[in-house]
Amino acid sequence: MNMSKSEMVKETSLKPSRRSLPCLVQSYTYSQSLSQSTSLFQSNESESQAPTSVTSISVDKAAQVNAENKKDSVLNCSFTDLSDFCLALGKDKDYMDESEHANYDRSRLIRDSVFKDKSESKPKLLSKNDMNYIASSGLLFKDGKKRIDYILVYRKSSIQYDRRNTFEKNLRAEGLMLEKEPAVANPDIMFIKIHIPWDTLCKYAERLNIRMPFRKKCYYTDRKKESMGRMKKNLKNILNWMPKNPMILDKSVFPDLEVSECYTGPFSRARIHHFIINNKDTFFSNAARSRIVYHVLQRTKYENGISKVGICKLINNGAYEAAFPPHEGAYKSSQPIKTHGPQNNRHLLYERWARWGMWYKHQPLDLIRRYFGEKIGLYFAWLGWYTGMLIPAAIVGLCVFFYGLFTMNRSQVSQEICAASEVIMCPLCDKNCSLQRLNDSCIYAKVTYLFDNGGTVFFAIFMAIWATVFLEFWKRRRSILTYAWDLIEWEEEEETVRPQFEAKYYTMERVNPITGKPEPHQPFSDKITRLLISVSGIFFMISLVITAVFAVVVYRLVVMEQFASFKWSFIKQHWQFATSAAGVCINFVIIMMLNVAYEKVAYLLTNLEYPRTESEWENSFALKMFLFQFVNLNSSIFYIAFFLGRFVGHPGNYNKLFNRWRLEECHPSGCLIDLCLQMSVIMFLKQIWNNFMELGYPLIQNWWSRHKIKRGNQDASIPQWENDWNLQPMNIHGLMDEYLEMVLQFGFTTIFVAAFPLAPLLALLNNIIEIRLDAYKFVTQWRRPLPARATDIGIWYGILEGIGILAVITNAFVIAITSDYIPRLVYEYKYGPCADQLENGNNCLKGYVNNSLSFFNLSELGIGKSGYCRYRDYRGPPWSSKPYEFTLQYWHILAARLAFIIVFEHLVFGIKSFIAFLIPDIPQDLYDRIRREKYLVQEMMYEAELEHLQQQRKKSGQPVHHEWP
């Protein structure tokens, strides 16, 4: 809503009865009489003839004096005795049962007078009233009185005149008011301004079950909570003397957003006298008005036929160019906000949220929700929560990295590799590779130790627990937000059927078991058939991804020989690094190219399924896009982590692809360095590309649009709706791209974190930029999106839980298979010098490098050299009875790896389940408050109906009863 608490109608307390005295002993809430509220709705709106800029309830002076008297009397009420409370209500003395409530402890009722006074002292966003501001922004019809709720745009040169004419006539028949105005900068563009009158608003608000406020909240607490409240108050007074947290926003600048200060209920024209209506122009918020208009636009026909319906189809076939709600004005002002205040909500969001200088501040989530809707508000709430939770993960990851950095030179393995100047390694390719000494890979060994040290296992367990804590506490955070934003019961009541679904299955109806009304129904056989086709398409695209990865693998095998004989000495010396880097870059280009095809295929398959509701469509589309892009991004990483160098054979008997190309082998220091390189390059390049496409591309387009307007119209004044038209539209898929980017990043942060502990730090730095980048984009570069509602982040939460489970499994395999943690552990306790307790623990890995390398006779290679070379494996030497066969140590290591995977997974899953059990989804005090409010709402509705019925009896001269007749 756009009202502040100080502007809200103050309603008289309900008359006490046997059923609801605790609710009725609430602080002063004043309202006009029920007859006045009823007459407000019954009086027909005459906006088309002589609308007023501000419409208010007509109240005579006597009623105002009585209201002030009631206000004063209630303020002075001590609530020490029930009779005093009844006298404070004014003239009317109503029935009460003192015997039932005489001992009731009224001190437990929290009166909101203190909060009321504080809220009234805050500066208001609008100096006089909302309509004066709207007039100053130019967001009105030509008469200067009707506000613009929606904008349609079309080209005069378009040949779809008949469709537009029919569509606009049907819109007027639905009760909307339309006004056309040509564009200033482009004579071919025509704007249609849409205004929805009061009667139409009420009709569709009732049809959509939009919840509206009807009573100020009163809170009930026990003595324990009272004492805790006093302790918090004393602690707050102490903290006021301390320096303020610089991250906290200055709330004195923000308007009073009246979050959860009123009980709400589904709007009903028959019970309009229950609702708090101070000004019918501001009773419904801008977001609610836009949603109602969009609902009408989506269900209005433009031709005869069931499927010829909706503004989206008209935009797709070119009848209209765009449809959007207008921004509230400019986001910049020549006057400073500190001295003159914000001009509008958009200006306030820019100054206190979207500017880069506010990167360290908390987000104004209530204002974001008010301007962009609950769906976008929940996205930024989740993004902020995710970013905040990344701080401890980044700190621990950085500690693990620095631990490896400081102990790198003391590592026994690194010291042995760097000192192995006499150890000759077997060539890693067939033709152009020369023999190398083991100490040539000294630098690679030290870099590998940074990510493969004693803290790796601890960090993997920590990140698995962190993912669970993050998701569990997000559920608690979401429950608090949904309560504060009045979304607790929204999903079941207001989910509507998609027009495409209605048009497709209008001949197949069945009675909805919830509402009892007939609605279109998709037969089970048709649904299964479409799902099978969709699943087949998904598997085809995934197979295409695997084919692309296979092509990159073949490329690496082909260029490996070329880089080994390259003319540049640096490339020739580091040919393995050059091969990996080139493969990563080519893989990234393929990923970006395939993403374009994935989006179109996912869109086609989702529409083929004909989901019933918008949320089902979004969830289905999001799941497909996630599967495509997750496989696309991580398939090459999975190859390097679990397949690279695992099936190469041994010198003299290498496995070859198509009997031509020798399979790629790991570096002498291990495959982990290749995995780190693959993850870091893809993560870094993808974040750079995403940030450019999200902000850089719209900035260039908007700059070019403004340049063309200035060049053609030097002195023209561009209205707000035309400025909005020149901005870029929000992505057609809404927040899907934003969530997908962050969820894929969450996968990078958790799935292979054992191989790259700096991933949380990179994600944290990116998200700090991402929040302000998205904010700047929403406020300045995009047209205002439809303020949609939502209760959660949709299917993304389930995807995040799935990633958390997959992360435990992959990290277990990375530690056990990709890293050398298990071979070192087996050597330390079975084959090393500490196995027989002959030396202390500091030298338990002495001789590990020599033990991990096998011997091969160079004369068998046919390169004209004799002697022995070494290679990474556990095979018998040429002089053994079974040369080049796996040794017993190999099977010991394999068994230890499998045992570690099982123990690690069960341990971490057990800890995750235990933590999830300990953390409830809803805080207990919030749960009690929700149940309490449901009870109070029922009681207040009962009392309001009883009071209304008594007044009707008084008017008709019938006797008045104090309970239901």
Side-chain angles (χ1 to χ4, degrees):
M1 293 179 60
N2 288 337
M3 295 185 298
S4 67
K5 282 186 284 191
S6 58
E7 296 169 340
M8 191 173 297
V9 177
K10 304 172 181 64
E11 198 168 20
T12 55
S13 300
L14 293 176
K15 303 167 186 178
S17 72
R18 295 184 179 94
R19 299 184 63 188
S20 58
L21 182 66
C23 175
L24 301 181
V25 187
Q26 55 179 312
S27 62
Y28 47 94
T29 52
Y30 327 108
S31 74
Q32 312 303 333
S33 65
L34 296 176
S35 60
Q36 291 169 342
S37 296
T38 307
S39 64
L40 168 67
F41 174 72
Q42 292 175 348
S43 60
N44 294 327
E45 185 184 35
S46 57
E47 289 179 330
S48 59
Q49 298 176 0
T52 58
S53 59
V54 180
T55 306
S56 60
I57 304 174
S58 59
V59 184
D60 56 9
K61 294 182 178 180
Q64 294 180 5
V65 171
N66 291 337
E68 291 297 327
N69 292 336
K70 285 185 178 183
K71 175 181 178 181
D72 296 336
S73 61
V74 174
L75 285 172
N76 295 326
C77 178
S78 63
F79 289 91
T80 57
D81 188 80
L82 184 60
S83 59
D84 295 338
F85 167 71
C86 296
L87 293 174
L89 290 175
K91 297 179 181 179
D92 300 329
K93 297 180 180 180
D94 302 294
Y95 169 81
M96 68 174 182
D97 189 350
E98 295 186 5
S99 63
E100 184 174 347
H101 298 291
N103 297 324
Y104 191 83
D105 188 0
R106 288 175 290 277
S107 64
R108 297 186 184 183
L109 288 170
I110 302 176
R111 297 162 52 189
D112 61 349
S113 59
V114 177
F115 305 104
K116 176 73 180 172
D117 295 337
K118 290 182 179 179
S119 64
E120 288 180 345
S121 64
K122 293 182 179 181
K124 300 178 182 179
L125 178 64
L126 306 177
S127 57
K128 293 184 179 180
N129 53 59
D130 288 346
M131 297 304 295
N132 286 343
Y133 153 67
I134 295 173
S136 64
S137 299
L139 297 175
L140 300 174
F141 276 26
K142 291 180 180 178
D143 60 6
K145 298 175 181 178
K146 301 183 188 70
R147 68 159 59 184
I148 300 174
D149 296 312
Y150 227 85
I151 296 292
L152 301 181
V153 187
Y154 70 89
R155 295 187 181 274
K156 298 178 183 178
S157 57
S158 174
I159 60 175
Q160 306 274 354
Y161 172 77
D162 292 336
R163 289 182 173 179
R164 285 198 304 270
N165 190 38
T166 303
F167 185 70
E168 290 164 15
K169 286 182 178 179
N170 291 336
L171 289 179
R172 292 187 178 94
E174 290 290 337
L176 301 183
M177 294 183 178
L178 279 64
E179 183 180 77
K180 295 185 178 181
E181 185 167 332
V184 176
N186 190 346
D188 188 40
I189 297 295
M190 181 67 73
F191 295 98
I192 299 179
K193 298 175 284 185
I194 299 178
H195 169 75
I196 181 167
W198 171 258
D199 289 343
T200 309
L201 269 174
C202 294
K203 179 178 69 175
Y204 279 99
E206 182 177 12
R207 186 176 300 178
L208 297 176
N209 289 324
I210 293 181
R211 303 180 68 86
M212 302 304 294
F214 65 88
R215 186 74 65 199
K216 289 279 292 182
K217 284 186 177 179
C218 59
Y219 299 106
Y220 182 79
T221 184
D222 53 22
R223 295 193 182 276
K224 180 179 178 181
K225 292 183 179 179
E226 274 189 348
S227 60
M228 292 298 295
R230 287 192 295 268
M231 291 176 60
K232 290 181 179 179
K233 185 177 179 180
N234 295 332
L235 180 61
K236 186 177 180 180
N237 293 332
I238 296 175
L239 293 177
N240 288 335
W241 292 92
M242 300 177 65
K244 293 184 178 180
N245 186 353
M247 299 176 66
I248 297 178
L249 291 165
D250 183 10
K251 294 186 178 181
S252 63
V253 182
F254 289 89
D256 203 341
L257 300 175
E258 56 160 306
V259 177
S260 78
E261 289 298 328
C262 289
Y263 296 113
T264 61
F267 183 79
S268 172
R269 289 177 289 178
R271 296 182 174 181
I272 195 172
H273 50 274
H274 293 170
F275 297 93
I276 303 175
I277 303 177
N278 183 30
N279 187 336
K280 67 179 182 179
D281 289 317
T282 57
F283 177 61
F284 292 101
S285 66
N286 290 338
R289 297 172 71 99
S290 299
R291 284 196 298 268
I292 292 174
V293 173
Y294 181 75
H295 177 84
V296 177
L297 293 174
Q298 279 288 77
R299 285 157 178 79
T300 301
K301 289 186 178 182
Y302 57 86
E303 278 185 3
N304 292 328
I306 296 296
S307 62
K308 308 295 184 179
V309 60
I311 185 63
C312 291
K313 288 189 175 181
L314 286 172
I315 294 176
N316 291 335
N317 60 34
Y320 290 96
E321 296 293 321
F324 54 88
H327 276 295
E328 292 186 1
Y331 66 87
K332 284 187 177 181
S333 174
S334 58
Q335 299 173 339
I337 191 174
K338 291 184 178 180
T339 57
H340 293 78
Q343 291 186 344
N344 52 67
N345 285 332
R346 188 188 184 194
H347 179 215
L348 182 57
L349 282 172
Y350 175 76
E351 293 289 341
R352 292 294 181 263
W353 179 48
R355 287 194 306 110
W356 296 104
M358 308 299 292
W359 66 270
Y360 62 94
K361 292 285 188 180
H362 292 169
Q363 299 184 89
L365 294 177
D366 292 326
L367 187 59
I368 297 170
R369 168 248 182 176
R370 179 178 183 175
Y371 192 81
F372 292 110
E374 287 80 0
K375 192 171 186 178
I376 294 177
L378 276 175
Y379 162 71
F380 281 104
W382 175 82
L383 181 56
W385 184 259
Y386 171 45
T387 304
M389 289 294 292
L390 278 173
I391 295 176
I395 293 174
V396 176
L398 199 61
C399 291
V400 172
F401 177 80
F402 278 116
Y403 169 78
L405 184 64
F406 292 144
T407 61
M408 181 172 56
N409 294 326
R410 298 195 301 269
S411 170
Q412 182 68 31
V413 177
S414 300
Q415 290 177 3
E416 290 185 2
I417 291 177
C418 294
S421 58
E422 302 298 329
V423 178
I424 305 298
M425 301 299 296
C426 296
L428 297 178
C429 59
D430 290 336
K431 297 179 181 180
N432 301 317
C433 295
S434 59
L435 298 175
Q436 292 182 344
R437 300 183 184 276
L438 180 58
N439 63 349
D440 292 341
S441 60
C442 177
I443 296 178
Y444 292 97
K446 291 183 177 180
V447 173
T448 301
Y449 181 78
L450 293 177
F451 307 102
D452 186 11
N453 53 63
T456 302
V457 177
F458 163 76
F459 189 55
I461 297 175
F462 172 81
M463 287 302 297
I465 298 174
W466 171 87
T468 301
V469 172
F470 159 64
L471 293 176
E472 291 300 321
F473 276 98
W474 163 248
K475 286 193 289 187
R476 293 170 62 89
R477 174 65 173 161
R478 184 199 67 85
S479 64
I480 295 173
L481 289 175
T482 53
Y483 168 79
W485 294 350
D486 194 27
L487 298 170
I488 296 296
E489 300 178 357
W490 171 80
E491 187 172 6
E492 296 181 358
E493 298 176 352
E494 301 185 26
E495 191 81 29
T496 56
V497 179
R498 297 178 71 235
Q500 294 84 348
F501 185 88
E502 289 179 327
K504 179 67 177 178
Y505 300 104
Y506 70 97
T507 58
M508 307 173 189
E509 290 187 344
R510 75 170 183 180
V511 176
N512 188 312
I514 306 300
T515 63
K517 299 178 181 178
E519 63 179 22
H521 170 66
Q522 184 180 18
F524 180 77
S525 59
D526 180 76
K527 186 174 184 177
I528 291 297
T529 303
R530 294 180 181 277
L531 284 177
L532 288 177
I533 296 174
S534 179
V535 170
S536 301
I538 292 174
F539 278 108
F540 172 76
M541 295 304 297
I542 291 177
S543 64
L544 185 63
V545 175
I546 297 175
T547 303
V549 173
F550 181 76
V552 174
V553 172
V554 174
Y555 164 81
R556 292 170 64 117
L557 299 180
V558 172
V559 302
M560 182 172 59
E561 297 280 354
Q562 305 301 323
F563 282 137
S565 60
F566 209 73
K567 294 181 180 180
W568 294 353
S569 59
F570 178 81
I571 299 295
K572 186 176 181 179
Q573 185 178 0
H574 304 281
W575 61 269
Q576 279 188 303
F577 176 80
T579 301
S580 300
V584 170
C585 295
I586 292 176
N587 186 42
F588 177 76
V589 173
I590 295 176
I591 287 172
M592 293 295 104
M593 293 175 60
L594 290 178
N595 282 346
V596 178
Y598 295 158
E599 184 174 348
K600 294 181 180 180
V601 172
Y603 189 79
L604 177 65
L605 293 177
T606 305
N607 286 334
L608 182 65
E609 295 175 5
Y610 280 98
R612 180 177 173 273
T613 62
E614 285 295 334
S615 62
E616 290 179 5
W617 189 96
E618 291 177 0
N619 290 341
S620 178
F621 181 74
L623 180 61
K624 293 179 181 63
M625 285 298 298
F626 170 75
L627 289 176
F628 291 158
Q629 294 211 18
F630 180 81
V631 175
N632 193 20
L633 280 174
N634 293 282
S635 54
S636 60
I637 298 177
F638 272 89
Y639 163 74
I640 293 176
F642 305 126
F643 296 98
L644 179 63
R646 307 297 169 194
F647 311 101
V648 296
H650 61 86
N653 188 24
Y654 283 113
N655 298 322
K656 295 186 177 182
L657 183 65
F658 304 133
N659 292 324
R660 182 176 180 181
W661 294 297
R662 173 181 163 181
L663 294 180
E664 190 176 0
E665 196 172 350
C666 290
H667 196 274
S669 59
C671 294
L672 201 63
I673 187 65
D674 295 309
L675 182 59
C676 294
L677 177 65
Q678 184 84 7
M679 288 185 61
S680 58
V681 171
I682 290 181
M683 189 174 184
F684 179 76
L685 291 180
K686 192 173 188 304
Q687 289 178 351
I688 295 295
W689 177 259
N690 288 338
N691 291 340
F692 171 76
M693 293 303 296
E694 287 183 8
L695 184 61
Y697 185 66
L699 273 173
I700 295 173
Q701 287 186 315
N702 292 335
W703 172 84
W704 180 246
S705 299
R706 292 193 300 268
H707 177 71
K708 290 191 296 184
I709 293 174
K710 291 180 180 179
R711 185 174 57 185
N713 301 271
Q714 296 293 335
D715 300 326
S717 177
I718 307 299
Q720 181 61 47
W721 55 84
E722 190 165 349
N723 286 328
D724 293 347
W725 158 248
N726 292 322
L727 297 176
Q728 297 303 306
M730 186 180 177
N731 192 299
I732 189 174
H733 308 310
L735 292 169
M736 195 278 301
D737 288 341
E738 317 298 330
Y739 275 118
L740 181 61
E741 178 187 356
M742 291 294 103
V743 170
L744 291 174
Q745 183 204 86
F746 180 80
F748 269 95
T749 306
T750 56
I751 292 179
F752 292 100
V753 73
F756 191 50
L758 293 180
L761 178 63
L762 295 181
L764 174 63
L765 297 177
N766 175 79
N767 287 6
I768 292 174
I769 300 174
E770 182 73 20
I771 291 177
R772 304 305 159 180
L773 187 147
D774 285 347
Y776 185 83
K777 177 178 59 180
F778 271 94
V779 174
T780 68
Q781 302 302 312
W782 277 2
R783 298 172 193 161
R784 187 177 185 179
L786 178 71
R789 308 199 81 187
T791 58
D792 52 30
I793 60 176
I795 198 173
W796 298 111
Y797 183 84
I799 292 175
L800 290 171
E801 284 189 322
I803 291 177
I805 295 173
L806 181 62
V808 176
I809 300 173
T810 53
N811 282 306
F813 275 86
V814 167
I815 296 172
I817 296 177
T818 309
S819 74
D820 290 337
Y821 177 78
I822 298 300
R824 291 198 301 263
L825 199 66
V826 172
Y827 177 81
E828 184 176 355
Y829 291 100
K830 180 65 177 177
Y831 297 95
C834 293
D836 298 328
Q837 301 296 326
L838 297 179
E839 296 191 24
N840 56 30
N842 294 330
N843 297 319
C844 288
L845 289 177
K846 185 178 180 180
Y848 167 75
V849 174
N850 183 66
N851 177 264
S852 64
L853 298 176
S854 300
F855 289 88
F856 182 78
N857 193 346
L858 283 173
S859 61
E860 299 181 21
L861 289 178
I863 60 176
K865 293 185 178 182
S866 61
Y868 297 100
C869 66
R870 311 293 295 272
Y871 61 97
R872 283 174 55 89
D873 211 339
Y874 294 92
R875 295 178 181 269
W879 57 82
S880 65
S881 59
K882 295 181 179 179
Y884 310 128
E885 295 291 333
F886 288 119
T887 62
L888 182 62
Q889 186 176 355
Y890 170 82
W891 300 110
H892 284 167
I893 292 174
L894 180 61
R897 282 172 168 167
L898 296 178
F900 175 83
I901 291 173
I902 295 173
V903 172
F904 182 88
E905 289 181 357
H906 283 71
L907 175 64
V908 175
F909 280 136
I911 296 175
K912 285 168 65 72
S913 301
F914 181 68
I915 292 176
F917 172 77
L918 289 180
I919 303 175
D921 295 346
I922 303 178
Q924 185 61 40
D925 57 343
L926 178 60
Y927 179 74
D928 294 339
R929 179 177 293 184
I930 292 174
R931 294 182 61 191
R932 172 75 176 167
E933 289 186 4
K934 286 183 179 179
Y935 167 76
L936 294 181
V937 167
Q938 295 176 355
E939 297 299 315
M940 285 188 290
M941 295 294 288
Y942 166 83
E943 294 296 335
E945 283 296 322
L946 178 60
E947 185 176 1
H948 182 59
L949 181 60
Q950 290 174 352
Q951 289 194 357
Q952 295 295 329
R953 287 180 177 273
K954 286 181 181 179
K955 289 182 180 179
S956 61
Q958 298 178 3
V960 177
H961 300 282
H962 296 288
E963 296 292 343
W964 290 105

